[in-house]
Amino acid sequence: MATPARTTPDPAGPIILFDAECVLCSASARFVLERDCRATFRLASMQSEAGRSLFQRHGMDPDDPASLLVVGDRVRRDSDAVLGICEALGYPWRLARVFRLVPAVLRDPVYRVLARNRYRLFGRRETCWVPPDRYRDRIL
């Protein structure tokens, strides 16, 4: 049986911490919001007060982030965070789990190269991305 769509976010659900100045990261955040029909995830930009606090709590510098974080029952980062998000979005995105066959020791360096070069490769926004009003209740 399919899980019914939720109209409000799960207050205990995982939080995706992302860079709202990064074009790729902002597009990814929008992608998740549009496809997360169960409202599983909440999002916080690393530029926000909530995001900065969560980054610091998990040992990362919000002014020089090296990774995407998903904070929930456990903390996921790097390629594990990306795959966890895809798996939670359901079909067809959960098919990305096939990449778990590749050991994290091989996946994560590729992720980190992209993360370190994200502004050069994808661009940087002059201002932080602001989600559409319909998603405001899912942004911390």
Side-chain angles (χ1 to χ4, degrees), residues 33-89:
L33 287 171
E34 290 171 354
R35 286 156 183 83
D36 182 14
C37 60
R38 293 176 297 177
T40 300
F41 295 105
R42 294 173 294 150
L43 285 83
S45 77
M46 65 182 202
Q47 290 83 9
S48 71
E49 190 174 315
R52 289 183 70 79
S53 175
L54 284 166
F55 260 91
Q56 291 169 338
R57 190 176 313 154
H58 295 286
M60 291 184 63
D61 179 359
D63 295 320
D64 186 26
S67 183
L68 159 80
L69 289 180
V70 177
V71 178
D73 292 341
R74 61 184 255 213
V75 177
R76 294 179 177 202
R77 60 185 302 163
D78 298 335
S79 64
D80 189 48
V82 173
L83 293 175
I85 292 167
C86 290
E87 291 164 355
L89 292 179

Side-chain angles (χ1 to χ4, degrees), residues 76 79-81 83-84 87 96-104 107:
R76 294 179 177 202
S79 64
D80 189 48
L83 293 175
E87 291 164 355
R97 79 174 86 177
V98 71
F99 290 106
R100 291 210 186 268
L101 296 172
V102 177
R107 289 190 323 254

